[in-house]
Amino acid sequence: MASSHLEDSDIFQLINDTDSDCCTDNSESDVEGSESESDIDEDQSSSSATWGPPHQRGTRSVNTYSGGAVGLKSHEAPHVNKDSTPFSVFMLYFAEIIHLLVEETNRYYHQHIDRRQDGPSPRPDVTESEMFLFLGIIIQMGHDIRDRLTDYWSTLKQFATPFYSETMKRDRFLHILRFLHFADNRTEIDRNDDSYDRLWKIRTIFDTLNDAFEKYYNPSEHLAIDEIIVKYKGRVIFKQYIPKKHKRFGIKIFKICDAAGYTYDMKVYLGKDRTRADRDVTATHATVRDLCRRIEGVGHKLYMDNFFSSPDLFDELMTKKITCCGTVRPNRKGLPDDFRRRQFRLRKGDIRVRVRQNMTALVWKDKRDVYMLTNMHSPPAEGNFCGEHGNATKPAVVADYNKHMGYVDKADRMANSYGICRRTWKWTNKLFFHLLDLTILNSYILLSSCGAKLSHRDFRLALVRNMLELAGRGPPRPQRPRGRPPAVRSEPSRIGEVTTQHWPTSSTSKLRCRECSSRGIRRTVRTKCVRCDIGLCISGCFQEYHTKATFR
């Protein structure tokens, strides 16, 4: 591979990457630092004795990729092609989730009503059509960010947008948002149980999407594994604080993404794993191993930063036909002793290489020492390599790392381009809305792999229109009955006047209804009793008043 000059941005990505929790020195910035220290071994009886100077040149023999064409798995969704609508692709992932959202939202609302003895009259249940309208509004809000939710329904000239009020009433939208739920609260297990899942409230949705991401898409040969942060400052026990990231507080998610930015697999960091039985590997080693379970055996090439890289991990993945490349901390267990002790005194452009079987460890000096570990590249030549202007020449290992390592960041940027960044105290809602944006992005990439010429923005807007059209063809939305509901008839305390009769007649009086006026409601008289000459509106207040008068 032809070498090129390293730019400052490349050095910053390798050494002080803001999307990584690691740097080349001994500082620790993540709360997982205590866990990652377990794979730093200062014992001199390590496997570093097998490392030696480079003894081979030329192209290294690696696993041949046999994963097939990138894009849609046609046998899983034969009806999808370049002419498919965004909604039909989106529903590959979200068909089961819509039913779950409707069921659990209604269940949670009824549980709330049952806990309140003197609460308001029950509202109608949420239907699937209403849920599509709700999601359509949420997606559209990502293209029209405002300060408050109520501003979307405001009639002020600065905010007036007919789309929101014509799609759904404000109070109905806020009602669905308030009671949006993803699991039955009665299924929670004891928090002290070893099998307790901190993600149980949204586990079904997360696993359903994760399985669907793998089911319908075939990823590219080159993949990257990294972590992203879903910004959240509320209270949740597995919230992370990472000062190097732009979003410092939030929920950490580990992801594997391909060159198009498609999220193929993901895992939420939930803190220390109580159920992990294998104590011979570190937390980061176990995380990468779990994320790679769906890409084994076809020859994928995986890139990672120094938070994950280690010789033991690379050796294990190599047995599963996964070759790896990444930056590495010099004090990782299994690296050469001169790497671990940092004995090199390098000038700008110097390269030092150590080889162990099919694995290569190198240190390259530009502005700082950069430590790399790979088993997919041939070991470079040692020496000093600088260009005609005195700039350090970039090795092929570094060039490939810079080219492929940014796939997870690319996916995160695209998913957040039109995401609705709404402040909320519910971490489940925050994570769900991120998964919604991520599903839309994966749907767009899946449709683009079929040859569709559509931008990400146009895909989202077309999806909103499709949702509204489907909701219009669905069953009519339930309407809340107007007026005061009729009172429940109770047994009379005195039955002396049970035989009293009243006869209603129409009235054209401009007086106000007696019962409504007592409640502060201005309602014109429409019905009048012939016997007692009391003006009341329509039949509801008339029947209610005379029922009380009859049994008074």
mmCIF file of all heavy atoms in Angstrom, residues 18-21 30-32 226-233 238-255 267-269 408-409 412-413 415-416 430-431 434:
data_model
loop_
_atom_site.group_PDB
_atom_site.id
_atom_site.type_symbol
_atom_site.label_atom_id
_atom_site.label_comp_id
_atom_site.label_asym_id
_atom_site.label_seq_id
_atom_site.Cartn_x
_atom_site.Cartn_y
_atom_site.Cartn_z
ATOM 1 N N THR A 18 -11.363 11.489 20.731
ATOM 2 C CA THR A 18 -12.442 11.905 21.630
ATOM 3 C C THR A 18 -13.536 10.867 21.713
ATOM 4 O O THR A 18 -14.373 10.933 22.596
ATOM 5 C CB THR A 18 -13.048 13.221 21.138
ATOM 6 O OG1 THR A 18 -13.491 13.053 19.787
ATOM 7 C CG2 THR A 18 -12.042 14.346 21.203
ATOM 8 N N ASP A 19 -13.576 9.906 20.784
ATOM 9 C CA ASP A 19 -14.577 8.851 20.836
ATOM 10 C C ASP A 19 -14.019 7.595 21.474
ATOM 11 O O ASP A 19 -14.564 6.517 21.343
ATOM 12 C CB ASP A 19 -15.072 8.511 19.424
ATOM 13 C CG ASP A 19 -15.916 9.617 18.871
ATOM 14 O OD1 ASP A 19 -16.482 10.354 19.686
ATOM 15 O OD2 ASP A 19 -16.000 9.747 17.648
ATOM 16 N N SER A 20 -12.918 7.697 22.160
ATOM 17 C CA SER A 20 -12.340 6.559 22.852
ATOM 18 C C SER A 20 -12.107 6.922 24.297
ATOM 19 O O SER A 20 -11.867 8.070 24.636
ATOM 20 C CB SER A 20 -11.020 6.156 22.193
ATOM 21 O OG SER A 20 -10.361 5.196 22.967
ATOM 22 N N ASP A 21 -12.156 5.921 25.160
ATOM 23 C CA ASP A 21 -11.913 6.145 26.566
ATOM 24 C C ASP A 21 -10.432 5.984 26.909
ATOM 25 O O ASP A 21 -10.061 6.003 28.069
ATOM 26 C CB ASP A 21 -12.701 5.119 27.407
ATOM 27 C CG ASP A 21 -14.175 5.300 27.199
ATOM 28 O OD1 ASP A 21 -14.560 6.410 26.831
ATOM 29 O OD2 ASP A 21 -14.915 4.334 27.383
ATOM 30 N N ASP A 30 -12.483 6.659 32.065
ATOM 31 C CA ASP A 30 -13.801 6.041 32.135
ATOM 32 C C ASP A 30 -14.012 5.437 33.506
ATOM 33 O O ASP A 30 -13.079 5.069 34.192
ATOM 34 C CB ASP A 30 -13.865 4.935 31.061
ATOM 35 C CG ASP A 30 -15.263 4.404 30.878
ATOM 36 O OD1 ASP A 30 -16.162 4.967 31.512
ATOM 37 O OD2 ASP A 30 -15.433 3.456 30.113
ATOM 38 N N VAL A 31 -15.296 5.325 33.891
ATOM 39 C CA VAL A 31 -15.597 4.684 35.162
ATOM 40 C C VAL A 31 -15.285 3.200 35.128
ATOM 41 O O VAL A 31 -15.249 2.541 36.158
ATOM 42 C CB VAL A 31 -17.080 4.877 35.520
ATOM 43 C CG1 VAL A 31 -17.393 6.326 35.718
ATOM 44 C CG2 VAL A 31 -17.974 4.273 34.452
ATOM 45 N N GLU A 32 -15.052 2.640 33.936
ATOM 46 C CA GLU A 32 -14.686 1.244 33.824
ATOM 47 C C GLU A 32 -13.182 1.034 34.003
ATOM 48 O O GLU A 32 -12.670 -0.052 33.777
ATOM 49 C CB GLU A 32 -15.067 0.702 32.440
ATOM 50 C CG GLU A 32 -16.550 0.554 32.250
ATOM 51 C CD GLU A 32 -16.831 -0.110 30.922
ATOM 52 O OE1 GLU A 32 -16.274 -1.171 30.665
ATOM 53 O OE2 GLU A 32 -17.604 0.449 30.167
ATOM 54 N N ASP A 226 -16.831 0.018 18.404
ATOM 55 C CA ASP A 226 -16.552 1.191 19.232
ATOM 56 C C ASP A 226 -17.767 1.417 20.122
ATOM 57 O O ASP A 226 -18.742 0.660 20.090
ATOM 58 C CB ASP A 226 -16.269 2.412 18.361
ATOM 59 C CG ASP A 226 -15.413 3.457 19.068
ATOM 60 O OD1 ASP A 226 -15.173 3.295 20.292
ATOM 61 O OD2 ASP A 226 -14.983 4.428 18.422
ATOM 62 N N GLU A 227 -17.728 2.491 20.891
ATOM 63 C CA GLU A 227 -18.806 2.809 21.813
ATOM 64 C C GLU A 227 -19.360 4.190 21.490
ATOM 65 O O GLU A 227 -18.643 5.062 20.983
ATOM 66 C CB GLU A 227 -18.287 2.796 23.248
ATOM 67 C CG GLU A 227 -17.240 3.845 23.494
ATOM 68 C CD GLU A 227 -16.270 3.489 24.584
ATOM 69 O OE1 GLU A 227 -16.298 2.347 25.053
ATOM 70 O OE2 GLU A 227 -15.486 4.371 24.954
ATOM 71 N N ILE A 228 -20.644 4.379 21.764
ATOM 72 C CA ILE A 228 -21.280 5.693 21.625
ATOM 73 C C ILE A 228 -22.014 5.994 22.929
ATOM 74 O O ILE A 228 -22.252 5.096 23.750
ATOM 75 C CB ILE A 228 -22.229 5.750 20.408
ATOM 76 C CG1 ILE A 228 -23.402 4.751 20.565
ATOM 77 C CG2 ILE A 228 -21.459 5.477 19.137
ATOM 78 C CD1 ILE A 228 -24.674 5.350 21.034
ATOM 79 N N ILE A 229 -22.370 7.248 23.104
ATOM 80 C CA ILE A 229 -23.098 7.680 24.290
ATOM 81 C C ILE A 229 -24.446 8.264 23.875
ATOM 82 O O ILE A 229 -24.502 9.158 23.018
ATOM 83 C CB ILE A 229 -22.301 8.738 25.080
ATOM 84 C CG1 ILE A 229 -21.085 8.094 25.748
ATOM 85 C CG2 ILE A 229 -23.164 9.403 26.144
ATOM 86 C CD1 ILE A 229 -21.409 7.184 26.908
ATOM 87 N N VAL A 230 -25.520 7.739 24.445
ATOM 88 C CA VAL A 230 -26.844 8.345 24.301
ATOM 89 C C VAL A 230 -26.990 9.368 25.421
ATOM 90 O O VAL A 230 -27.048 8.993 26.595
ATOM 91 C CB VAL A 230 -27.958 7.283 24.378
ATOM 92 C CG1 VAL A 230 -29.332 7.938 24.252
ATOM 93 C CG2 VAL A 230 -27.764 6.226 23.299
ATOM 94 N N LYS A 231 -27.001 10.621 25.079
ATOM 95 C CA LYS A 231 -26.970 11.683 26.077
ATOM 96 C C LYS A 231 -28.163 11.588 27.020
ATOM 97 O O LYS A 231 -29.317 11.555 26.597
ATOM 98 C CB LYS A 231 -26.961 13.043 25.385
ATOM 99 C CG LYS A 231 -26.763 14.210 26.338
ATOM 100 C CD LYS A 231 -26.690 15.526 25.581
ATOM 101 C CE LYS A 231 -26.478 16.694 26.534
ATOM 102 N NZ LYS A 231 -26.412 17.985 25.798
ATOM 103 N N TYR A 232 -27.857 11.546 28.311
ATOM 104 C CA TYR A 232 -28.911 11.467 29.329
ATOM 105 C C TYR A 232 -28.316 11.885 30.660
ATOM 106 O O TYR A 232 -27.279 11.361 31.087
ATOM 107 C CB TYR A 232 -29.454 10.031 29.431
ATOM 108 C CG TYR A 232 -30.514 9.859 30.499
ATOM 109 C CD1 TYR A 232 -31.771 10.419 30.346
ATOM 110 C CD2 TYR A 232 -30.250 9.139 31.655
ATOM 111 C CE1 TYR A 232 -32.739 10.263 31.319
ATOM 112 C CE2 TYR A 232 -31.213 8.976 32.631
ATOM 113 C CZ TYR A 232 -32.457 9.547 32.465
ATOM 114 O OH TYR A 232 -33.406 9.398 33.433
ATOM 115 N N LYS A 233 -28.944 12.849 31.321
ATOM 116 C CA LYS A 233 -28.436 13.373 32.586
ATOM 117 C C LYS A 233 -29.350 13.041 33.762
ATOM 118 O O LYS A 233 -29.151 13.553 34.858
ATOM 119 C CB LYS A 233 -28.254 14.888 32.495
ATOM 120 C CG LYS A 233 -27.148 15.300 31.546
ATOM 121 C CD LYS A 233 -26.879 16.795 31.605
ATOM 122 C CE LYS A 233 -25.719 17.175 30.689
ATOM 123 N NZ LYS A 233 -25.418 18.626 30.765
ATOM 124 N N PHE A 238 -26.705 2.735 35.597
ATOM 125 C CA PHE A 238 -25.615 2.448 34.672
ATOM 126 C C PHE A 238 -25.260 3.654 33.796
ATOM 127 O O PHE A 238 -24.664 3.507 32.726
ATOM 128 C CB PHE A 238 -25.940 1.229 33.791
ATOM 129 C CG PHE A 238 -27.298 1.266 33.149
ATOM 130 C CD1 PHE A 238 -27.505 1.915 31.949
ATOM 131 C CD2 PHE A 238 -28.381 0.635 33.746
ATOM 132 C CE1 PHE A 238 -28.749 1.938 31.349
ATOM 133 C CE2 PHE A 238 -29.635 0.648 33.153
ATOM 134 C CZ PHE A 238 -29.814 1.306 31.951
ATOM 135 N N LYS A 239 -25.621 4.843 34.234
ATOM 136 C CA LYS A 239 -25.218 6.054 33.513
ATOM 137 C C LYS A 239 -23.707 6.220 33.597
ATOM 138 O O LYS A 239 -23.099 5.965 34.636
ATOM 139 C CB LYS A 239 -25.925 7.277 34.101
ATOM 140 C CG LYS A 239 -25.593 8.583 33.398
ATOM 141 C CD LYS A 239 -26.346 9.743 34.003
ATOM 142 C CE LYS A 239 -25.869 10.046 35.410
ATOM 143 N NZ LYS A 239 -26.502 11.250 35.971
ATOM 144 N N GLN A 240 -23.101 6.677 32.507
ATOM 145 C CA GLN A 240 -21.653 6.822 32.420
ATOM 146 C C GLN A 240 -21.249 8.295 32.349
ATOM 147 O O GLN A 240 -22.006 9.136 31.844
ATOM 148 C CB GLN A 240 -21.136 6.112 31.171
ATOM 149 C CG GLN A 240 -21.323 4.611 31.214
ATOM 150 C CD GLN A 240 -20.353 3.947 32.146
ATOM 151 O OE1 GLN A 240 -19.182 3.787 31.859
ATOM 152 N NE2 GLN A 240 -20.848 3.546 33.302
ATOM 153 N N TYR A 241 -20.057 8.564 32.856
ATOM 154 C CA TYR A 241 -19.448 9.883 32.718
ATOM 155 C C TYR A 241 -18.091 9.708 32.049
ATOM 156 O O TYR A 241 -17.187 9.083 32.597
ATOM 157 C CB TYR A 241 -19.272 10.559 34.077
ATOM 158 C CG TYR A 241 -18.419 11.814 34.023
ATOM 159 C CD1 TYR A 241 -18.855 12.943 33.335
ATOM 160 C CD2 TYR A 241 -17.167 11.849 34.629
ATOM 161 C CE1 TYR A 241 -18.075 14.083 33.275
ATOM 162 C CE2 TYR A 241 -16.378 12.988 34.578
ATOM 163 C CZ TYR A 241 -16.845 14.110 33.893
ATOM 164 O OH TYR A 241 -16.061 15.237 33.825
ATOM 165 N N ILE A 242 -17.959 10.235 30.841
ATOM 166 C CA ILE A 242 -16.721 10.114 30.071
ATOM 167 C C ILE A 242 -16.303 11.512 29.641
ATOM 168 O O ILE A 242 -16.884 12.077 28.698
ATOM 169 C CB ILE A 242 -16.899 9.194 28.849
ATOM 170 C CG1 ILE A 242 -17.445 7.832 29.297
ATOM 171 C CG2 ILE A 242 -15.588 9.021 28.104
ATOM 172 C CD1 ILE A 242 -17.720 6.882 28.168
ATOM 173 N N PRO A 243 -15.343 12.131 30.318
ATOM 174 C CA PRO A 243 -15.027 13.540 30.056
ATOM 175 C C PRO A 243 -14.469 13.815 28.673
ATOM 176 O O PRO A 243 -14.567 14.941 28.189
ATOM 177 C CB PRO A 243 -14.001 13.870 31.153
ATOM 178 C CG PRO A 243 -13.436 12.567 31.575
ATOM 179 C CD PRO A 243 -14.520 11.558 31.400
ATOM 180 N N LYS A 244 -13.890 12.812 27.993
ATOM 181 C CA LYS A 244 -13.313 13.046 26.678
ATOM 182 C C LYS A 244 -14.353 13.128 25.572
ATOM 183 O O LYS A 244 -14.046 13.617 24.487
ATOM 184 C CB LYS A 244 -12.317 11.933 26.339
ATOM 185 C CG LYS A 244 -10.996 12.041 27.084
ATOM 186 C CD LYS A 244 -10.019 11.011 26.559
ATOM 187 C CE LYS A 244 -8.674 11.158 27.246
ATOM 188 N NZ LYS A 244 -7.689 10.187 26.721
ATOM 189 N N LYS A 245 -15.541 12.664 25.820
ATOM 190 C CA LYS A 245 -16.561 12.661 24.785
ATOM 191 C C LYS A 245 -17.326 13.978 24.763
ATOM 192 O O LYS A 245 -17.425 14.678 25.769
ATOM 193 C CB LYS A 245 -17.536 11.499 24.996
ATOM 194 C CG LYS A 245 -16.933 10.143 24.679
ATOM 195 C CD LYS A 245 -17.978 9.075 24.689
ATOM 196 C CE LYS A 245 -17.380 7.727 24.287
ATOM 197 N NZ LYS A 245 -17.009 7.705 22.874
ATOM 198 N N HIS A 246 -17.887 14.287 23.602
ATOM 199 C CA HIS A 246 -18.703 15.494 23.480
ATOM 200 C C HIS A 246 -19.953 15.382 24.355
ATOM 201 O O HIS A 246 -20.358 16.342 25.012
ATOM 202 C CB HIS A 246 -19.094 15.709 22.020
ATOM 203 C CG HIS A 246 -19.990 16.883 21.801
ATOM 204 N ND1 HIS A 246 -19.591 18.187 22.015
ATOM 205 C CD2 HIS A 246 -21.288 16.960 21.412
ATOM 206 C CE1 HIS A 246 -20.582 19.011 21.755
ATOM 207 N NE2 HIS A 246 -21.629 18.288 21.388
ATOM 208 N N LYS A 247 -20.577 14.204 24.333
ATOM 209 C CA LYS A 247 -21.707 13.932 25.230
ATOM 210 C C LYS A 247 -21.142 13.182 26.444
ATOM 211 O O LYS A 247 -20.960 11.971 26.399
ATOM 212 C CB LYS A 247 -22.759 13.100 24.501
ATOM 213 C CG LYS A 247 -23.403 13.826 23.339
ATOM 214 C CD LYS A 247 -24.372 12.959 22.581
ATOM 215 C CE LYS A 247 -23.674 11.926 21.738
ATOM 216 N NZ LYS A 247 -24.593 11.200 20.843
ATOM 217 N N ARG A 248 -20.873 13.907 27.500
ATOM 218 C CA ARG A 248 -20.124 13.335 28.618
ATOM 219 C C ARG A 248 -20.970 12.434 29.508
ATOM 220 O O ARG A 248 -20.462 11.488 30.092
ATOM 221 C CB ARG A 248 -19.506 14.456 29.443
ATOM 222 C CG ARG A 248 -18.454 15.266 28.698
ATOM 223 C CD ARG A 248 -17.912 16.372 29.558
ATOM 224 N NE ARG A 248 -18.952 17.332 29.916
ATOM 225 C CZ ARG A 248 -18.813 18.283 30.830
ATOM 226 N NH1 ARG A 248 -17.687 18.385 31.499
ATOM 227 N NH2 ARG A 248 -19.802 19.120 31.081
ATOM 228 N N PHE A 249 -22.261 12.748 29.664
ATOM 229 C CA PHE A 249 -23.154 11.953 30.512
ATOM 230 C C PHE A 249 -24.128 11.193 29.626
ATOM 231 O O PHE A 249 -24.693 11.760 28.682
ATOM 232 C CB PHE A 249 -23.942 12.850 31.477
ATOM 233 C CG PHE A 249 -23.100 13.540 32.510
ATOM 234 C CD1 PHE A 249 -22.581 14.803 32.277
ATOM 235 C CD2 PHE A 249 -22.833 12.928 33.714
ATOM 236 C CE1 PHE A 249 -21.818 15.443 33.226
ATOM 237 C CE2 PHE A 249 -22.068 13.552 34.676
ATOM 238 C CZ PHE A 249 -21.558 14.816 34.428
ATOM 239 N N GLY A 250 -24.361 9.937 29.959
ATOM 240 C CA GLY A 250 -25.355 9.211 29.197
ATOM 241 C C GLY A 250 -25.237 7.708 29.344
ATOM 242 O O GLY A 250 -24.539 7.186 30.208
ATOM 243 N N ILE A 251 -25.948 7.016 28.454
ATOM 244 C CA ILE A 251 -25.992 5.558 28.429
ATOM 245 C C ILE A 251 -25.025 5.077 27.357
ATOM 246 O O ILE A 251 -25.119 5.486 26.193
ATOM 247 C CB ILE A 251 -27.422 5.071 28.145
ATOM 248 C CG1 ILE A 251 -28.384 5.590 29.224
ATOM 249 C CG2 ILE A 251 -27.468 3.548 28.070
ATOM 250 C CD1 ILE A 251 -29.845 5.331 28.910
ATOM 251 N N LYS A 252 -24.093 4.215 27.744
ATOM 252 C CA LYS A 252 -23.070 3.736 26.820
ATOM 253 C C LYS A 252 -23.573 2.499 26.076
ATOM 254 O O LYS A 252 -24.112 1.575 26.673
ATOM 255 C CB LYS A 252 -21.785 3.406 27.568
ATOM 256 C CG LYS A 252 -20.665 2.882 26.664
ATOM 257 C CD LYS A 252 -19.500 2.317 27.448
ATOM 258 C CE LYS A 252 -18.753 3.405 28.167
ATOM 259 N NZ LYS A 252 -17.497 2.879 28.768
ATOM 260 N N ILE A 253 -23.342 2.509 24.758
ATOM 261 C CA ILE A 253 -23.716 1.379 23.905
ATOM 262 C C ILE A 253 -22.505 0.984 23.072
ATOM 263 O O ILE A 253 -21.903 1.822 22.399
ATOM 264 C CB ILE A 253 -24.899 1.720 22.979
ATOM 265 C CG1 ILE A 253 -26.112 2.193 23.785
ATOM 266 C CG2 ILE A 253 -25.278 0.516 22.129
ATOM 267 C CD1 ILE A 253 -27.301 2.562 22.928
ATOM 268 N N PHE A 254 -22.143 -0.289 23.105
ATOM 269 C CA PHE A 254 -21.102 -0.829 22.238
ATOM 270 C C PHE A 254 -21.753 -1.283 20.933
ATOM 271 O O PHE A 254 -22.794 -1.944 20.949
ATOM 272 C CB PHE A 254 -20.391 -2.009 22.900
ATOM 273 C CG PHE A 254 -19.718 -1.665 24.199
ATOM 274 C CD1 PHE A 254 -20.272 -2.061 25.410
ATOM 275 C CD2 PHE A 254 -18.548 -0.941 24.216
ATOM 276 C CE1 PHE A 254 -19.655 -1.746 26.611
ATOM 277 C CE2 PHE A 254 -17.917 -0.624 25.411
ATOM 278 C CZ PHE A 254 -18.473 -1.023 26.610
ATOM 279 N N LYS A 255 -21.101 -0.957 19.794
ATOM 280 C CA LYS A 255 -21.689 -1.272 18.493
ATOM 281 C C LYS A 255 -20.645 -1.837 17.544
ATOM 282 O O LYS A 255 -19.455 -1.519 17.636
ATOM 283 C CB LYS A 255 -22.290 -0.011 17.856
ATOM 284 C CG LYS A 255 -23.519 0.544 18.552
ATOM 285 C CD LYS A 255 -24.064 1.727 17.781
ATOM 286 C CE LYS A 255 -25.317 2.288 18.431
ATOM 287 N NZ LYS A 255 -25.868 3.429 17.665
ATOM 288 N N LYS A 267 -24.775 -3.583 22.134
ATOM 289 C CA LYS A 267 -24.931 -4.052 23.504
ATOM 290 C C LYS A 267 -24.832 -2.856 24.436
ATOM 291 O O LYS A 267 -23.901 -2.047 24.322
ATOM 292 C CB LYS A 267 -23.842 -5.083 23.837
ATOM 293 C CG LYS A 267 -23.899 -5.612 25.264
ATOM 294 C CD LYS A 267 -22.789 -6.626 25.519
ATOM 295 C CE LYS A 267 -22.842 -7.160 26.949
ATOM 296 N NZ LYS A 267 -21.745 -8.118 27.214
ATOM 297 N N VAL A 268 -25.784 -2.729 25.357
ATOM 298 C CA VAL A 268 -25.775 -1.636 26.320
ATOM 299 C C VAL A 268 -24.893 -2.002 27.498
ATOM 300 O O VAL A 268 -24.978 -3.117 28.039
ATOM 301 C CB VAL A 268 -27.206 -1.320 26.804
ATOM 302 C CG1 VAL A 268 -27.188 -0.205 27.850
ATOM 303 C CG2 VAL A 268 -28.090 -0.907 25.638
ATOM 304 N N TYR A 269 -24.030 -1.070 27.901
ATOM 305 C CA TYR A 269 -23.211 -1.298 29.084
ATOM 306 C C TYR A 269 -24.077 -1.093 30.328
ATOM 307 O O TYR A 269 -24.626 -0.016 30.547
ATOM 308 C CB TYR A 269 -22.025 -0.338 29.117
ATOM 309 C CG TYR A 269 -21.239 -0.420 30.406
ATOM 310 C CD1 TYR A 269 -20.450 -1.532 30.694
ATOM 311 C CD2 TYR A 269 -21.316 0.594 31.357
ATOM 312 C CE1 TYR A 269 -19.745 -1.624 31.871
ATOM 313 C CE2 TYR A 269 -20.612 0.516 32.544
ATOM 314 C CZ TYR A 269 -19.829 -0.584 32.800
ATOM 315 O OH TYR A 269 -19.137 -0.685 33.972
ATOM 316 N N VAL A 408 -18.378 3.510 13.297
ATOM 317 C CA VAL A 408 -19.346 3.677 14.392
ATOM 318 C C VAL A 408 -19.665 5.151 14.586
ATOM 319 O O VAL A 408 -20.827 5.530 14.793
ATOM 320 C CB VAL A 408 -18.802 3.057 15.693
ATOM 321 C CG1 VAL A 408 -19.758 3.305 16.852
ATOM 322 C CG2 VAL A 408 -18.576 1.561 15.514
ATOM 323 N N ASP A 409 -18.660 6.018 14.506
ATOM 324 C CA ASP A 409 -18.906 7.457 14.619
ATOM 325 C C ASP A 409 -19.767 7.949 13.466
ATOM 326 O O ASP A 409 -20.623 8.825 13.641
ATOM 327 C CB ASP A 409 -17.584 8.215 14.637
ATOM 328 C CG ASP A 409 -16.746 7.882 15.852
ATOM 329 O OD1 ASP A 409 -17.341 7.502 16.878
ATOM 330 O OD2 ASP A 409 -15.511 7.984 15.779
ATOM 331 N N ASP A 412 -23.339 7.035 14.244
ATOM 332 C CA ASP A 412 -23.866 7.866 15.320
ATOM 333 C C ASP A 412 -24.197 9.269 14.823
ATOM 334 O O ASP A 412 -25.228 9.847 15.187
ATOM 335 C CB ASP A 412 -22.855 7.925 16.464
ATOM 336 C CG ASP A 412 -23.433 8.547 17.724
ATOM 337 O OD1 ASP A 412 -24.578 8.200 18.087
ATOM 338 O OD2 ASP A 412 -22.754 9.378 18.351
ATOM 339 N N ARG A 413 -23.346 9.828 13.979
ATOM 340 C CA ARG A 413 -23.624 11.161 13.427
ATOM 341 C C ARG A 413 -24.871 11.147 12.567
ATOM 342 O O ARG A 413 -25.705 12.061 12.644
ATOM 343 C CB ARG A 413 -22.430 11.644 12.607
ATOM 344 C CG ARG A 413 -21.227 12.070 13.426
ATOM 345 C CD ARG A 413 -20.244 12.845 12.562
ATOM 346 N NE ARG A 413 -19.806 12.090 11.411
ATOM 347 C CZ ARG A 413 -18.749 11.292 11.390
ATOM 348 N NH1 ARG A 413 -18.018 11.139 12.485
ATOM 349 N NH2 ARG A 413 -18.410 10.651 10.287
ATOM 350 N N ALA A 415 -27.410 8.995 12.670
ATOM 351 C CA ALA A 415 -28.608 8.730 13.477
ATOM 352 C C ALA A 415 -29.035 9.966 14.258
ATOM 353 O O ALA A 415 -30.237 10.184 14.480
ATOM 354 C CB ALA A 415 -28.357 7.570 14.429
ATOM 355 N N ASN A 416 -28.062 10.794 14.677
ATOM 356 C CA ASN A 416 -28.377 11.986 15.460
ATOM 357 C C ASN A 416 -28.600 13.225 14.614
ATOM 358 O O ASN A 416 -28.858 14.300 15.154
ATOM 359 C CB ASN A 416 -27.251 12.262 16.464
ATOM 360 C CG ASN A 416 -27.148 11.193 17.525
ATOM 361 O OD1 ASN A 416 -28.155 10.570 17.891
ATOM 362 N ND2 ASN A 416 -25.955 10.948 18.032
ATOM 363 N N LYS A 430 -35.705 7.912 26.465
ATOM 364 C CA LYS A 430 -34.509 8.417 25.788
ATOM 365 C C LYS A 430 -33.864 7.323 24.945
ATOM 366 O O LYS A 430 -33.489 7.556 23.787
ATOM 367 C CB LYS A 430 -33.514 8.911 26.846
ATOM 368 C CG LYS A 430 -32.443 9.823 26.308
ATOM 369 C CD LYS A 430 -33.006 11.190 25.976
ATOM 370 C CE LYS A 430 -31.908 12.175 25.636
ATOM 371 N NZ LYS A 430 -32.429 13.509 25.339
ATOM 372 N N LEU A 431 -33.744 6.143 25.510
ATOM 373 C CA LEU A 431 -33.138 5.043 24.773
ATOM 374 C C LEU A 431 -34.035 4.579 23.631
ATOM 375 O O LEU A 431 -33.549 4.249 22.542
ATOM 376 C CB LEU A 431 -32.849 3.884 25.732
ATOM 377 C CG LEU A 431 -32.072 2.696 25.168
ATOM 378 C CD1 LEU A 431 -30.746 3.150 24.572
ATOM 379 C CD2 LEU A 431 -31.839 1.644 26.241
ATOM 380 N N HIS A 434 -33.690 6.893 20.678
ATOM 381 C CA HIS A 434 -32.431 6.646 19.967
ATOM 382 C C HIS A 434 -32.554 5.394 19.101
ATOM 383 O O HIS A 434 -32.082 5.375 17.953
ATOM 384 C CB HIS A 434 -31.283 6.480 20.965
ATOM 385 C CG HIS A 434 -29.991 6.076 20.325
ATOM 386 N ND1 HIS A 434 -29.178 6.955 19.635
ATOM 387 C CD2 HIS A 434 -29.369 4.858 20.248
ATOM 388 C CE1 HIS A 434 -28.124 6.318 19.168
ATOM 389 N NE2 HIS A 434 -28.216 5.058 19.525
#
